[in-house]
Amino acid sequence: AQSVTQLDSQVPVFEEAPVELRCNYSSSVSVYLFWYVQYPNQGLQLLLKYLSGSTLVESINGFEAEFNKSQTSFHLRKPSVHISDTAEYFCAVSDCGGGSYIPTFGRGTSLIVHP
Amino acid sequence: SQTIHQWPATLVQPVGSPLSLECTVEGTSNPNLYWYRQAAGRGLQLLFYSVGIGQISSEVPQNLSASRPQDRQFILSSKKLLLSDSGFYLCAWTRQGNEQFFGPGTRLTVL
């Protein structure tokens, strides 16, 4: 069985400040890791993913996440946030061995960027 | 490219009325399909998933049902809605093990 823990339900931050959204997971098998973003009244969109290779992955809008196998973490960071980054962020894992059809999502972190 | 559609976008229904939400996917074949629900201020709850036509797996007991009459069509239904069925319903598809692609969602309010 897999589980995903997003420790912070809400993260308030001022514009242009750095931010880190934490994600820890547990799994008995190797996993793929994902961050999704959800803007109000919309579906989720993939922000970035780790499948293999470099443990540091980046998105086109300045976010990055680092896969840390020893700490079973996949924290999301951005050095300088914008008002438009205000959204709900979900961390997710899936079984890369194909043993399960069901990804596991965290409960989400609401990022609130203040001017 | 692949596209996923959901309709309607919003729906207001009285308690006890039936429900039918539709999801269709374009540009891919034999996808895994999923129905999720988000209650206000809460995370994603997986309701159903399907790995093929007529194959439905339910994740939680409830008064909802799902059907997959065609390869790229996934329908969520109820015979009698409850107040607790209110929420934001999301359809998604995936290739096994990889990222999910989500539809725009349906906002259901049961009064």
Side-chain angles (χ1 to χ4, degrees):
Chain A
Q2 299 168 341
S3 67
V4 177
T5 302
Q6 292 183 247
L7 291 169
D8 305 302
S9 60
Q10 203 171 77
V11 173
V13 63
F14 286 105
E15 192 174 20
E16 298 184 2
V19 71
E20 178 180 82
L21 306 184
R22 294 178 293 172
C23 173
N24 289 90
Y25 71 93
S26 67
S27 177
S28 57
V29 299
S30 297
V31 295
Y32 295 141
L33 295 154
F34 308 90
W35 276 101
Y36 294 85
V37 59
Q38 184 182 30
Y39 299 103
N41 295 311
Q42 295 184 26
L44 279 70
Q45 305 169 35
L46 181 70
L47 188 60
L48 45 75
K49 63 183 177 183
Y50 171 78
L51 303 181
S52 64
S54 173
T55 57
L56 184 65
V57 291
E58 300 176 349
S59 72
I60 59 174
N61 58 350
F63 283 94
E64 64 178 29
E66 186 161 19
F67 169 50
N68 188 318
K69 189 173 182 179
S70 63
Q71 297 186 7
T72 60
S73 67
F74 192 53
H75 301 329
L76 182 69
R77 302 183 182 94
K78 189 170 185 179
S80 176
V81 295
H82 302 289
I83 295 288
S84 60
D85 293 324
T86 295
E88 192 82 14
Y89 292 80
F90 292 91
C91 181
V93 302
S94 66
D95 177 4
C96 64
S100 171
Y101 300 106
I102 306 173
T104 302
F105 283 83
R107 293 183 60 84
T109 297
S110 178
L111 175 62
I112 303 169
V113 182
H114 298 288
Chain B
S1 63
Q2 301 90 3
T3 310
I4 179 167
H5 303 280
Q6 282 186 248
W7 63 90
T10 60
L11 191 59
V12 180
Q13 292 284 97
V15 170
S17 63
L19 173 74
S20 181
L21 303 182
E22 190 163 342
C23 170
T24 58
V25 181
E26 297 177 356
T28 187
S29 60
N30 197 30
N32 294 337
L33 295 171
Y34 303 80
W35 278 112
Y36 291 92
R37 177 170 61 200
Q38 276 185 300
R42 303 187 68 177
L44 291 170
Q45 179 186 32
L46 179 63
L47 302 175
F48 301 95
Y49 71 95
S50 171
V51 300
I53 296 174
Q55 301 178 61
I56 308 295
S57 297
S58 174
E59 287 297 299
V60 292
Q62 59 216 326
N63 71 321
L64 299 171
S65 63
S67 62
R68 186 171 177 175
Q70 300 179 42
D71 180 46
R72 290 169 289 179
Q73 184 183 31
F74 204 23
I75 298 172
L76 183 69
S77 304
S78 174
K79 293 182 179 179
K80 288 185 177 182
L81 284 169
L82 306 173
L83 286 174
S84 58
D85 291 324
S86 293
F88 192 51
Y89 288 81
L90 289 164
C91 181
W93 73 272
T94 189
R95 290 293 186 190
Q96 184 175 323
N98 213 314
E99 71 213 62
Q100 288 196 311
F101 298 90
F102 286 81
T106 295
R107 175 75 59 190
L108 172 65
T109 303
V110 183
L111 302 174

